[in-house]
Amino acid sequence: MPNILYVCHGNICRSTMAEFVMRELVRRAGLADDFAIDSAATSREELGNDVHPGTRAKLAEVGIPCGHHASRQMGPADYQAFDYIVGMDQDNMDGIYRLLLGEKGYGFSWRPTSAAERVAADPEGKVSRLLDWAGVHRDVADPWYTGNFDATYDDVLLGCQAMLEALRG
């Protein structure tokens, strides 16, 4: 059973959208019992907060069920708990590596990581950026700044579909 953790800055917009999109994709594929899917934040800014109303509205618009989720900050224990740790943007990636290395922080902006730090944080190669799964090497659009949940959904769907296809075959 693949265990997937989606990660963004606050764990209320992009990572929760990816969590619920992937849950729906695996359900539609008849694989719901074969995957464990969750999401987390690199920051502590939104701890305990539920899914952003814009994410919830976009998922409802496209017919994807969206449950409740209390934002949490990821940490080193997540490396053992998950097979795949998937970030949404480059700052998230730096935050993921720093948190896996045991660094603490509020998480507004993480120092860039070196190649050696990335290897030390991720010796098994579990960490990736979502759109890299689709061969698109850029960040997932962040609706926190743009208000454009349509663009975020398009990016998340593209990445999750490609990830599911790769994991299935």
Side-chain angles (χ1 to χ4, degrees), residues 23 41 43 48 108 111 113-114 119 121 130 133 135 137 143 145 152 158 163-164:
R23 284 184 184 192
S43 80
F108 276 113
R111 285 183 300 113
T113 52
S114 68
V119 169
L130 181 60
W133 286 87
H137 305 292
Y145 299 104
T152 302
L158 177 65
M163 185 176 190
L164 179 58

Side-chain angles (χ1 to χ4, degrees), residues 115-153:
E117 288 171 319
R118 291 189 294 274
V119 169
D122 183 21
E124 297 174 39
K126 296 180 177 187
V127 178
S128 63
R129 193 167 52 166
L130 181 60
L131 285 175
D132 289 345
W133 286 87
V136 178
H137 305 292
R138 65 172 173 79
D139 296 341
V140 170
D142 190 346
W144 182 260
Y145 299 104
T146 66
N148 188 344
F149 286 86
D150 294 334
T152 302
Y153 175 76

Side-chain angles (χ1 to χ4, degrees), residues 12-151:
I12 62 169
C13 295
R14 294 175 292 172
S15 60
T16 54
M17 185 180 285
E19 174 186 351
F20 290 111
V21 165
M22 187 60 119
R23 284 184 184 192
E24 181 64 9
L25 291 175
V26 299
R27 186 196 68 75
R28 290 177 185 174
L31 301 170
D33 294 336
D34 298 334
F35 284 77
I37 303 162
D38 198 2
S39 62
T42 58
S43 80
R44 290 188 245 160
E45 187 175 358
E46 299 285 347
L47 289 185
N49 289 343
D50 202 351
V51 177
H52 188 284
T55 293
R56 188 174 297 286
K58 181 61 189 177
L59 293 177
E61 176 187 314
V62 296
I64 294 178
C66 180
H68 291 285
H69 180 87
S71 175
R72 71 173 183 89
Q73 187 178 38
M74 64 162 292
D78 288 312
Y79 199 76
Q80 297 310 314
F82 292 94
D83 303 308
Y84 301 94
I85 301 173
V86 184
M88 300 294 135
D89 66 31
Q90 188 54 52
D91 189 61
N92 300 155
M93 299 300 288
D94 290 325
I96 290 167
Y97 292 125
R98 297 238 169 259
L99 290 164
L100 291 176
L101 289 168
E103 290 187 26
K104 305 287 185 206
Y106 197 70
F108 276 113
S109 184
W110 296 96
R111 285 183 300 113
T113 52
S114 68
E117 288 171 319
R118 291 189 294 274
V119 169
D122 183 21
E124 297 174 39
K126 296 180 177 187
V127 178
S128 63
R129 193 167 52 166
L130 181 60
L131 285 175
D132 289 345
W133 286 87
V136 178
H137 305 292
R138 65 172 173 79
D139 296 341
V140 170
D142 190 346
W144 182 260
Y145 299 104
T146 66
N148 188 344
F149 286 86
D150 294 334

